[in-house]
Amino acid sequence: MTLELAPDSPILAMPWIITFGPLSDEEDWEPVVCGPYERPHAIALAEEVVADHELMAVVEPVMGFASVAEIQAEIALAKSVAAELVPDDDDLAFDDVDVDLDLDLDDDDDDRDDHVVGPLPSPEEIRAGMARVAHRLAGTS
């Protein structure tokens, strides 16, 4: 599975990941996430890996958000799109649509201390970290 995009979509130029997982809930193993790749490479790799195996592959862009606000805006957008997909009672065409965007966005700071290792990095620090990761993946120093 992957997004259907217009040929001029800016998302096409983003890095892409592949998540391989079981086709059914009967298999119990953790999905394997690979990447980042250019989109055509990700699609080709996914197709090759699942060709003769009972696997599912999801190819999706990696969004390089560098702030909490950007991430929250994308989550809000995803939720609003999902809300538009909710079928009317008379609309049976969406019976097989599985949209699971139940994300916990509580502003309760009591939980936050258990998960945050240090202070929240600035967008500049996050972008610099992304650049370091890209250099390591590319094998450059």
Coordinates of all heavy atoms in Angstrom, one line a residue, residues 22-80:
P22 N 2.7 -8.6 9.1 CA 1.9 -9.7 8.8 C 0.6 -9.3 8.1 O 0.1 -8.2 8.3 CB 1.6 -10.4 10.1 CG 1.7 -9.3 11.1 CD 2.8 -8.4 10.6
L23 N 0.1 -10.2 7.3 CA -1.2 -9.9 6.6 C -2.4 -10.1 7.5 O -3.4 -9.5 7.3 CB -1.4 -10.9 5.4 CG -0.7 -10.4 4.1 CD1 -0.9 -11.5 3.0 CD2 -1.3 -9.1 3.6
S24 N -2.3 -10.9 8.5 CA -3.4 -11.2 9.3 C -3.1 -11.0 10.8 O -1.9 -11.0 11.2 CB -3.9 -12.7 9.1 OG -2.9 -13.6 9.7
D25 N -4.1 -10.9 11.6 CA -3.9 -10.7 13.0 C -3.5 -12.0 13.7 O -3.1 -12.0 14.9 CB -5.2 -10.2 13.7 CG -5.5 -8.8 13.3 OD1 -4.6 -8.0 12.9 OD2 -6.7 -8.4 13.3
E26 N -3.6 -13.1 13.0 CA -3.2 -14.4 13.5 C -1.7 -14.5 13.7 O -1.3 -15.3 14.6 CB -3.8 -15.5 12.6 CG -5.3 -15.5 12.6 CD -5.9 -16.5 11.5 OE1 -5.1 -17.3 11.0 OE2 -7.1 -16.4 11.3
E27 N -0.9 -13.8 12.9 CA 0.5 -13.9 13.1 C 0.9 -12.8 14.1 O 0.3 -11.7 14.1 CB 1.2 -13.6 11.8 CG 1.1 -14.6 10.7 CD 1.9 -14.3 9.5 OE1 3.2 -14.3 9.6 OE2 1.3 -14.0 8.5
D28 N 1.8 -13.1 15.0 CA 2.1 -12.2 16.0 C 3.6 -11.9 16.0 O 4.4 -12.6 16.6 CB 1.7 -12.8 17.4 CG 1.8 -11.8 18.5 OD1 1.8 -10.5 18.2 OD2 2.0 -12.2 19.7
W29 N 4.0 -10.9 15.2 CA 5.4 -10.5 15.2 C 5.4 -9.0 14.9 O 4.4 -8.4 14.4 CB 6.2 -11.2 14.2 CG 5.7 -11.3 12.8 CD1 4.8 -12.2 12.3 CD2 6.1 -10.5 11.7 NE1 4.6 -12.0 11.0 CE2 5.4 -10.9 10.5 CE3 7.0 -9.4 11.5 CZ2 5.5 -10.4 9.3 CZ3 7.1 -8.8 10.3 CH2 6.4 -9.3 9.2
E30 N 6.4 -8.3 15.4 CA 6.5 -6.9 15.3 C 6.9 -6.5 13.9 O 7.7 -7.1 13.2 CB 7.6 -6.3 16.2 CG 7.3 -6.4 17.7 CD 6.1 -5.6 18.1 OE1 6.0 -4.4 17.6 OE2 5.2 -6.1 18.8
P31 N 6.2 -5.4 13.3 CA 6.5 -5.0 12.0 C 8.0 -4.5 11.9 O 8.6 -4.1 12.9 CB 5.6 -3.8 11.8 CG 4.5 -4.0 12.8 CD 5.1 -4.7 14.0
V32 N 8.5 -4.6 10.7 CA 9.9 -4.2 10.4 C 9.8 -2.9 9.6 O 9.2 -2.9 8.5 CB 10.6 -5.3 9.6 CG1 12.0 -4.9 9.2 CG2 10.7 -6.6 10.5
V33 N 10.5 -1.9 10.0 CA 10.5 -0.6 9.4 C 11.8 -0.4 8.7 O 12.9 -0.5 9.4 CB 10.1 0.6 10.3 CG1 10.1 1.9 9.6 CG2 8.8 0.3 11.0
C34 N 11.9 0.0 7.4 CA 13.1 0.1 6.7 C 13.1 1.5 6.0 O 12.0 2.0 5.6 CB 13.3 -0.9 5.6 SG 13.1 -2.6 6.2
G35 N 14.3 2.1 5.8 CA 14.4 3.3 5.1 C 15.3 4.3 5.8 O 15.9 3.9 6.8
P36 N 15.4 5.4 5.3 CA 14.6 6.1 4.3 C 15.1 5.8 2.9 O 16.3 5.5 2.7 CB 14.7 7.6 4.6 CG 16.1 7.7 5.3 CD 16.3 6.4 6.0
Y37 N 14.2 5.9 1.9 CA 14.5 5.6 0.5 C 13.9 6.7 -0.3 O 12.9 7.4 0.2 CB 13.9 4.3 0.1 CG 14.3 3.1 0.9 CD1 13.4 2.5 1.8 CD2 15.6 2.5 0.7 CE1 13.8 1.4 2.5 CE2 15.9 1.4 1.5 CZ 15.0 0.8 2.3 OH 15.4 -0.3 3.1
E38 N 14.3 6.8 -1.5 CA 13.5 7.6 -2.5 C 12.3 6.7 -2.8 O 12.3 5.5 -2.8 CB 14.3 7.9 -3.8 CG 15.5 8.8 -3.5 CD 16.3 9.1 -4.7 OE1 16.4 8.2 -5.6 OE2 16.9 10.2 -4.8
R39 N 11.2 7.4 -3.2 CA 9.9 6.7 -3.4 C 10.0 5.6 -4.4 O 9.5 4.4 -4.1 CB 8.8 7.7 -3.7 CG 7.4 7.0 -3.8 CD 6.3 8.1 -4.0 NE 5.0 7.5 -3.9 CZ 4.3 7.1 -4.9 NH1 4.7 7.2 -6.1 NH2 3.1 6.6 -4.7
P40 N 10.5 5.8 -5.5 CA 10.6 4.6 -6.5 C 11.3 3.4 -6.0 O 11.0 2.3 -6.2 CB 11.3 5.2 -7.7 CG 11.1 6.7 -7.6 CD 11.1 7.0 -6.2
H41 N 12.4 3.7 -5.2 CA 13.2 2.6 -4.6 C 12.4 1.9 -3.6 O 12.4 0.7 -3.5 CB 14.5 3.1 -4.0 CG 15.4 3.7 -5.0 ND1 16.5 4.5 -4.7 CD2 15.4 3.7 -6.4 CE1 17.2 4.9 -5.8 NE2 16.5 4.4 -6.8
A42 N 11.7 2.7 -2.7 CA 10.9 2.1 -1.7 C 9.8 1.2 -2.3 O 9.6 0.0 -1.8 CB 10.2 3.1 -0.8
I43 N 9.1 1.6 -3.3 CA 8.1 0.8 -3.9 C 8.6 -0.4 -4.5 O 8.1 -1.5 -4.4 CB 7.3 1.7 -5.0 CG1 6.5 2.8 -4.2 CG2 6.4 0.8 -5.8 CD1 5.8 3.8 -5.1
A44 N 9.8 -0.3 -5.2 CA 10.4 -1.5 -5.9 C 10.8 -2.5 -4.8 O 10.6 -3.7 -5.0 CB 11.6 -1.1 -6.7
L45 N 11.4 -2.0 -3.7 CA 11.9 -3.0 -2.7 C 10.6 -3.6 -2.0 O 10.7 -4.9 -1.8 CB 12.7 -2.2 -1.6 CG 14.1 -1.8 -2.0 CD1 14.6 -0.8 -1.0 CD2 15.0 -3.0 -2.1
A46 N 9.6 -2.9 -1.7 CA 8.4 -3.4 -1.1 C 7.8 -4.5 -2.0 O 7.4 -5.6 -1.5 CB 7.4 -2.3 -0.8
E47 N 7.7 -4.2 -3.3 CA 7.1 -5.1 -4.2 C 7.9 -6.4 -4.3 O 7.3 -7.5 -4.3 CB 6.9 -4.5 -5.6 CG 5.8 -3.5 -5.6 CD 5.7 -2.8 -7.0 OE1 6.6 -2.9 -7.8 OE2 4.7 -2.0 -7.2
E48 N 9.2 -6.3 -4.3 CA 10.1 -7.5 -4.4 C 10.0 -8.3 -3.2 O 9.9 -9.6 -3.2 CB 11.5 -7.0 -4.6 CG 12.5 -8.2 -4.8 CD 12.2 -9.0 -6.1 OE1 11.7 -8.4 -7.1 OE2 12.6 -10.1 -6.1
V49 N 10.0 -7.7 -2.0 CA 9.9 -8.5 -0.7 C 8.6 -9.2 -0.6 O 8.6 -10.3 -0.1 CB 10.2 -7.5 0.5 CG1 9.9 -8.2 1.8 CG2 11.7 -7.1 0.4
V50 N 7.5 -8.6 -0.9 CA 6.2 -9.2 -0.7 C 5.8 -10.1 -1.8 O 4.8 -10.8 -1.7 CB 5.1 -8.2 -0.4 CG1 5.4 -7.4 0.8 CG2 4.8 -7.3 -1.6
A51 N 6.5 -10.1 -2.9 CA 6.1 -10.8 -4.1 C 5.8 -12.3 -3.9 O 4.7 -12.8 -4.3 CB 7.2 -10.7 -5.2
D52 N 6.6 -13.0 -3.1 CA 6.4 -14.4 -2.9 C 6.2 -14.8 -1.5 O 6.3 -15.9 -1.0 CB 7.6 -15.2 -3.4 CG 7.8 -15.1 -4.9 OD1 6.7 -15.0 -5.6 OD2 8.9 -15.0 -5.4
H53 N 5.8 -13.8 -0.7 CA 5.6 -14.0 0.8 C 4.2 -13.5 1.2 O 3.7 -12.6 0.6 CB 6.7 -13.3 1.6 CG 8.1 -13.8 1.2 ND1 8.8 -13.3 0.2 CD2 8.8 -14.8 1.8 CE1 10.0 -14.0 0.2 NE2 10.0 -14.9 1.1
E54 N 3.7 -14.0 2.3 CA 2.5 -13.6 2.9 C 2.7 -12.4 3.8 O 2.7 -12.5 5.0 CB 1.8 -14.7 3.6 CG 1.5 -15.9 2.8 CD 0.2 -15.7 2.0 OE1 -0.7 -15.0 2.5 OE2 0.1 -16.1 0.8
L55 N 3.0 -11.3 3.2 CA 3.4 -10.1 4.0 C 2.6 -8.9 3.5 O 2.1 -8.8 2.3 CB 4.9 -9.7 3.8 CG 5.9 -10.7 4.3 CD1 7.3 -10.3 3.9 CD2 5.8 -10.8 5.8
M56 N 2.5 -7.9 4.3 CA 1.9 -6.6 3.9 C 3.1 -5.6 4.0 O 3.9 -5.6 4.8 CB 0.8 -6.2 4.9 CG 0.3 -4.8 4.6 SD -0.8 -4.1 5.9 CE 0.3 -4.1 7.3
A57 N 3.1 -4.7 3.0 CA 4.1 -3.6 3.0 C 3.4 -2.3 2.8 O 2.5 -2.1 2.0 CB 5.1 -3.8 1.9
V58 N 3.7 -1.3 3.7 CA 3.1 0.0 3.6 C 4.3 0.9 3.3 O 5.3 1.0 4.0 CB 2.5 0.4 4.9 CG1 1.9 1.9 4.8 CG2 1.3 -0.5 5.3
V59 N 4.2 1.7 2.2 CA 5.2 2.6 1.8 C 4.7 4.0 2.1 O 3.6 4.4 1.5 CB 5.6 2.5 0.3 CG1 6.6 3.5 -0.2 CG2 6.1 1.0 0.0
E60 N 5.4 4.8 2.9 CA 4.9 6.1 3.2 C 6.0 7.1 3.4 O 7.1 6.7 3.7 CB 4.0 6.0 4.5 CG 4.7 5.4 5.7 CD 3.8 5.1 6.8 OE1 2.7 5.6 6.9 OE2 4.2 4.2 7.7
P61 N 5.7 8.4 3.2 CA 6.7 9.4 3.4 C 7.1 9.7 4.8 O 6.2 9.5 5.7 CB 6.0 10.7 2.8 CG 4.6 10.5 3.0 CD 4.4 9.0 2.9
V62 N 8.3 10.1 5.0 CA 8.7 10.5 6.4 C 8.6 12.0 6.4 O 9.2 12.7 5.6 CB 10.2 10.1 6.6 CG1 10.7 10.7 7.9 CG2 10.4 8.6 6.5
M63 N 7.8 12.5 7.3 CA 7.6 13.9 7.4 C 8.6 14.5 8.4 O 8.7 14.1 9.5 CB 6.1 14.2 8.0 CG 5.1 13.4 7.2 SD 5.1 13.7 5.4 CE 4.0 15.0 5.3
G64 N 9.4 15.4 7.9 CA 10.5 16.0 8.7 C 10.1 17.1 9.6 O 10.6 18.2 9.5
F65 N 9.1 16.9 10.4 CA 8.6 18.0 11.3 C 9.6 18.3 12.3 O 10.2 17.3 12.9 CB 7.2 17.6 11.9 CG 6.1 17.4 10.9 CD1 5.4 16.2 10.9 CD2 5.9 18.3 9.9 CE1 4.4 16.0 10.0 CE2 4.9 18.1 8.9 CZ 4.1 16.9 9.0
A66 N 9.8 19.5 12.6 CA 10.8 19.9 13.6 C 10.2 20.6 14.8 O 11.0 21.2 15.6 CB 11.9 20.8 12.9
S67 N 8.9 20.6 15.0 CA 8.3 21.2 16.1 C 7.1 20.4 16.6 O 6.5 19.8 15.8 CB 8.0 22.7 15.9 OG 6.8 22.8 15.1
V68 N 6.7 20.6 17.8 CA 5.5 20.0 18.4 C 4.3 20.5 17.6 O 3.4 19.8 17.3 CB 5.4 20.2 19.9 CG1 4.1 19.8 20.4 CG2 6.5 19.5 20.6
A69 N 4.3 21.8 17.3 CA 3.2 22.4 16.6 C 2.9 21.8 15.3 O 1.8 21.6 14.9 CB 3.4 24.0 16.5
E70 N 4.0 21.6 14.5 CA 3.9 21.0 13.2 C 3.3 19.5 13.3 O 2.5 19.2 12.5 CB 5.3 20.9 12.5 CG 5.8 22.2 12.0 CD 7.2 22.1 11.5 OE1 8.1 21.4 12.2 OE2 7.5 22.7 10.4
I71 N 3.8 18.8 14.3 CA 3.3 17.4 14.5 C 1.8 17.5 14.9 O 1.0 16.7 14.3 CB 4.1 16.7 15.5 CG1 5.6 16.5 15.0 CG2 3.5 15.3 15.9 CD1 6.6 16.1 16.1
Q72 N 1.5 18.3 15.8 CA 0.1 18.4 16.2 C -0.8 18.9 15.1 O -2.0 18.4 15.0 CB 0.0 19.4 17.4 CG 0.5 18.8 18.7 CD 0.6 19.8 19.8 OE1 0.7 21.0 19.6 NE2 0.6 19.2 21.1
A73 N -0.4 19.8 14.2 CA -1.2 20.2 13.1 C -1.4 19.0 12.1 O -2.5 18.9 11.6 CB -0.5 21.4 12.4
E74 N -0.4 18.2 11.9 CA -0.5 17.0 11.0 C -1.5 16.0 11.6 O -2.3 15.4 10.9 CB 0.8 16.4 10.7 CG 0.8 15.4 9.6 CD 0.5 15.9 8.2 OE1 0.6 17.1 8.0 OE2 0.1 15.1 7.4
I75 N -1.4 15.8 12.9 CA -2.3 14.9 13.6 C -3.8 15.4 13.4 O -4.7 14.7 13.1 CB -1.9 14.7 15.1 CG1 -0.6 13.9 15.1 CG2 -3.0 14.0 15.8 CD1 0.0 13.9 16.5
A76 N -3.9 16.7 13.7 CA -5.3 17.3 13.5 C -5.8 17.1 12.1 O -7.0 16.8 11.9 CB -5.2 18.8 13.9
L77 N -4.9 17.3 11.1 CA -5.3 17.2 9.7 C -5.7 15.7 9.5 O -6.7 15.4 8.8 CB -4.2 17.6 8.8 CG -4.4 17.3 7.3 CD1 -5.6 18.1 6.8 CD2 -3.2 17.7 6.5
A78 N -4.9 14.8 10.0 CA -5.2 13.3 9.8 C -6.6 13.0 10.4 O -7.4 12.2 9.8 CB -4.1 12.5 10.3
K79 N -6.8 13.5 11.6 CA -8.1 13.3 12.2 C -9.3 13.8 11.5 O -10.3 13.2 11.3 CB -8.1 13.8 13.7 CG -7.3 13.0 14.6 CD -7.4 13.5 16.0 CE -6.8 12.6 17.0 NZ -7.0 13.0 18.4
S80 N -9.1 15.0 10.9 CA -10.2 15.7 10.2 C -10.5 14.9 8.9 O -11.6 14.7 8.5 CB -9.9 17.1 9.9 OG -8.9 17.3 8.9

